[in-house]
Amino acid sequence: MEQNLLKEKYGEIKIKKELFSEKADTLIEDLSTRIESGKQEILSYATKTGSLI
């Protein structure tokens, strides 16, 4: 009985780990896009103001 409970808990943890990994990949991609966009805005502003040579 205890063995089955451990297997069940392990299965739940494995599923949660997989779901987290899938969500993390999406979040990382979104953050990378936002960071790149922000970087371009900063460079554009610096160029317009003459701060960037």
Side-chain angles (χ1 to χ4, degrees), residues 5-51:
L5 185 60
L6 289 174
K7 286 181 181 180
E8 185 178 321
K9 284 291 183 185
Y10 176 75
E12 289 175 14
I13 291 170
K14 187 175 179 182
I15 290 169
K16 287 181 181 182
K17 179 184 173 195
E18 290 171 2
L19 290 173
F20 175 82
S21 294
E22 289 172 13
K23 287 181 182 180
D25 287 341
T26 302
L27 290 173
I28 290 170
E29 287 175 19
D30 289 346
L31 285 173
S32 294
T33 302
R34 291 179 66 192
I35 289 169
E36 185 60 33
S37 175
K39 178 182 170 184
Q40 293 305 318
E41 284 189 43
I42 291 169
L43 290 174
S44 174
Y45 176 79
T47 301
K48 287 178 186 176
T49 61
S51 301

